[in-house]
Amino acid sequence: MAADASGPWRGLRNAAILLLIWEIVGRLDLVAGGALPGISEILIRLWVDWGDYPRHIGATLYASSMGFLIGNALGIGAGVLFALSPTALRLFRGVNIAVFALPPIAIAPILVLTLSGMAPRIALAALGVYFVTMTATVIGLSQADSRATDVIRAYGGTRWDILRRVQFRGALPSILAGLRVAAPNAVLGAILAEFGGGGRWGLGAYLLGSLGRGEPDRLWGIGLVATLIAGLSYGLFALLAARTVGSTRAVTLNTAVPDAAPRAGHPLGRIALTFGTIALPFLVWWAFIEATGVPDLISKTPWGVVEYLFLDPTAESAQTRLLAALVETLPITFLGMAAGLGFAFLLAISSRLFPRAIEAFMPVALVTQTMPLVALTPLLVLILGRGPSLTLWVTISVTFFPAFVTLAQGLALVPRSAEDLPRAYGASRWTEMRMVTIPASLPYLFAATRLTVPRALLGVMIAEWLATGKGLGNLLNQSRGFLDYGMIWTVAAVSVLLSVLFYQAVVIVERRVLRRLGMATAE
Amino acid sequence: MSLRLNRRHFLGTAAATAAAASIPLRARASTPFTMQAAWINDAEFAGYFIGIDEGYYAAEGLDLTYLSGGPDVIPESTIIAGRADLALTTPDTTIKAIVEQGAPFKIIGAQYQKNPIGIVSLASNPINEPRDLIGKTLAVPPVNVISVNAMLALNGIDPGQVNIVPYAYDPTPLIRGEIDASLDFTTNVPYTISQQGVEATSFLLYDFGFTIYNDTVVVTEETLTSKRAELVAWLRASRKGWEANFKDPNGWPPKWADTWFAGTGRSIENEIFFNNAQQPLMESPAGYMGMTEEGIEANLRALAEVGIKGTRDMFDTTLLEEI
């Protein structure tokens, strides 16, 4: 977001105005009969409760840091492997998409069933980190300056020399950017697992104990602390990136033609690879259960889920319940995808047309990303009721942010010269937007869609779990009460599978459209 | 450890051995033993905290590890996975799992003789009996929908006549009138609501035909065979803990402000209210943690009404008899 000299101050001023409005609205109990407390009420409560916080923060930091380390070690390791071997990248594609798309609320109960102690928290934090870092590593390594690698090759350097001397250095900014996004993910994953997992310490555990009090100022306080931790971890890596990027950036432009993508080999080999890509996620699932050694009454292998759904005496009842839930969940999920994407798109366009207003909105947008939704539920049901509008808003709040960031990036990258043309002819900002900026950022629109679509299911399931009592989200929770382990695993598997399908559908449309327009995909 | 005996020690050891005849585990080295509770630390588990703090379990030769629960923790899963020897849970889920999935569970004791869950509403918009729920909105934690449907069916009400929505642990929607009633522990939520300056009213599902226990003590059949002595010891120490608790229900919670109740997010006053409110629900002619024949019969009858066909042999009262 570019700004002139007075920009930062105006941004601050707008944010201050927003906070003031929040304070007045909260103090006067104007929203939902006082369910939204004023900023000062939240801060005073935070001060009063402060004695409770250190151990909870400590536990959350421990779990999220462990998850961050493990997730990043795996992410960078896998990224290096994938950058070296396109076959490995192809083979692991299914696993990678599954990790990216899996809805955490469906996975948390599974982790609590199969792991103990801090392990579910660390695992959920690591899962939130892996994909982001892995992708950033692959992109960073594959975008190394080919002139530098040519130099090493010319002097007889090995593949490892290239990796060590050029690619890693070149990839550093990209990896650091990945870590920046990954850090808040780790915090959120840890808090979600703390909420359900039954430990005594951690912000998630504190939130659970506090919910029963019916005191929104406490809940907002916890949300604010979570936001602060997530924000600081983002800031830490942003700072690190700013310090190191300068030394690795190329000074002149590389005009060499990039290497062509390796052609796939024998058709049989390709089929085997595709089969492996699809089979691998199920193998990982099966290996996970073998490794945890949890009895098969409570942990279901892929085959266990097939048995439960198709072969057991209760299969028919299971199918009926699953289908009924899907019929409730899927239509609103498609609406949610459209709403989340539409909201992100509007926001991205507004950020070009009214940059100041959007700058002021950004802190609020960040809070919606780190504030645990369970703490906001009373406020949301009081304002929106328990119908489709609540589900849509929860879905928008879960989906819009990554899509917005991607779109804003795409809009900002449109060449100035292309925008100057309509401007020279006296076109309005909006005409310029319509005729140049939006079409030019189409690859980013698709990238944003890929980010949004799997998360829409997560948003809908959260709303179902907390407020509407319908669909997959509700089925998952009721199954816990019935000790219906088969259904718990089935819902988790089906939700991951659906998210992967949504993702894959976007990828196929994206390839077709962009190929026809002669554009490249954006990561 | 040196085992050389002098005369005084010998007499002491002899006395201990004599005592050990009646209390089998007392003289043994302590055995690791793990229990899985049903929820986060609150007054619901006061008896066990006393048992740990006052050394009742240690005196029985148990080195007790206490695991607190949470929304994603299914207590029965913890014992199946072998991470705990015993779990506190509800008889409806246990018996349903035995009947439908052949789960190897036995119920060996019961903390609440009357299930504390009930319908909580505001005195200004009171729901005094199941009939009053018709046409109203009731928030129920998804895991408890089974219990509510049972209570409605027992009172001749079609569950379709009540608008059931999820209860997300926060009473704010009830206080603000967005819902008419919620299902929760009647020992707990009325206090929270009164703190917001509103008066609450409630009734127990138990008093309207859903006559089941809560926080039933469940073990696997394997544990029942292999750790029988430890289970009896645990029951004995737990009963002692609860007896001590109800001698001074106001005195114990403040003692745990910096230990068991530290950082739970709940207030000590809330725990004191809870501790007093739960006493009448736990008293039994068979003693704390006990199970009477009438009580078991009432559980089976209520569950049979909703299609969960349990049998007497899913309850094992012989360990309680050994206390």
Side-chain angles (χ1 to χ4, degrees), chain B residues 38-40 42-48 88 111-112 185 214-215 242 261 271 274 278 282:
Chain B
W39 197 242
I40 58 173
D42 58 19
E44 184 179 346
F45 310 106
Y48 314 110
L88 299 177
Q111 178 182 325
Y112 287 116
F185 267 47
N214 198 347
D215 282 343
W242 284 112
F261 293 155
E271 306 302 356
F274 194 143
Q278 69 183 344
M282 286 184 56

Side-chain angles (χ1 to χ4, degrees), chain A residues 148-466:
Chain A
T149 53
D150 287 345
V151 170
I152 302 232
R153 270 203 207 106
Y155 279 94
T158 61
R159 186 75 190 83
W160 170 244
D161 287 323
I162 293 174
L163 196 65
R164 191 163 55 95
R165 291 181 195 275
V166 179
Q167 286 184 297
F168 267 130
R169 289 194 195 176
L172 202 59
S174 172
I175 293 177
L176 281 172
L179 296 186
R180 196 176 60 188
V181 180
N185 284 359
V187 179
L188 289 177
I191 290 179
L192 179 65
E194 285 162 0
F195 184 82
R200 281 199 61 191
W201 302 104
L203 287 172
Y206 191 44
L207 178 65
L208 175 65
S210 300
L211 275 174
R213 299 176 71 119
E215 293 168 350
D217 48 355
R218 158 79 66 83
L219 304 182
W220 278 92
I222 298 171
L224 222 57
V225 172
T227 305
L228 206 66
I229 297 177
L232 283 177
S233 60
Y234 180 95
L236 182 73
F237 286 95
L239 197 73
L240 263 175
R243 287 271 170 109
T244 49
V245 159
S247 59
T248 50
R249 190 177 285 160
V251 181
T252 57
L253 204 66
N254 180 13
T255 51
V257 179
D259 281 340
R263 289 296 313 154
H266 198 269
L268 264 179
R270 254 188 316 185
I271 291 170
L273 201 60
T274 307
F275 178 77
T277 306
I278 296 169
L280 202 56
F282 295 97
L283 275 175
V284 170
W285 170 3
W286 181 77
F288 171 74
I289 285 176
E290 283 298 308
T292 54
V294 175
D296 56 5
L297 182 66
I298 55 177
S299 70
K300 304 288 180 204
T301 58
W303 176 246
V305 167
V306 170
E307 269 184 331
Y308 173 80
L309 265 186
F310 299 105
L311 303 174
D312 282 356
T314 54
E316 204 173 317
S317 137
Q319 283 175 18
T320 314
R321 284 179 293 144
L322 181 65
L323 282 178
L326 283 172
V327 166
E328 285 177 337
T329 300
L330 284 180
I332 192 92
T333 305
F334 291 123
L335 272 179
M337 288 174 190
L341 207 60
F343 187 80
F345 195 65
L346 278 181
L347 212 58
I349 290 184
S350 318
S351 74
R352 298 284 283 181
L353 300 179
F354 324 102
R356 306 274 175 270
I358 299 304
E359 268 171 41
F361 174 73
M362 284 320 283
V364 181
L366 272 174
V367 172
T368 64
Q369 297 310 293
T370 47
M371 181 81 186
L373 274 166
V374 65
L376 287 180
T377 306
L379 183 67
L380 291 174
V381 299
L382 288 171
I383 298 174
L384 299 165
R386 293 175 190 265
S389 64
L390 176 123
T391 310
L392 285 181
W393 275 109
V394 169
T395 310
I396 288 174
S397 110
V398 169
T399 52
F400 86 91
F401 196 74
F404 162 68
V405 173
T406 311
L407 285 170
Q409 196 185 352
L411 294 181
L413 286 175
V414 174
R416 288 275 153 203
S417 52
E419 287 179 336
D420 284 343
L421 183 69
R423 229 174 263 169
Y425 281 94
S428 66
R429 291 288 293 272
W430 172 239
T431 311
E432 168 204 323
M433 205 78 188
R434 189 165 52 85
M435 301 190 72
V436 176
T437 316
I438 294 174
S441 57
L442 203 58
Y444 287 87
L445 181 62
F446 274 112
T449 311
R450 261 187 282 138
L451 291 177
T452 310
V453 159
R455 286 180 68 84
L457 185 63
L458 170 66
V460 171
M461 285 178 73
I462 290 176
E464 289 171 339
W465 162 45
L466 292 172

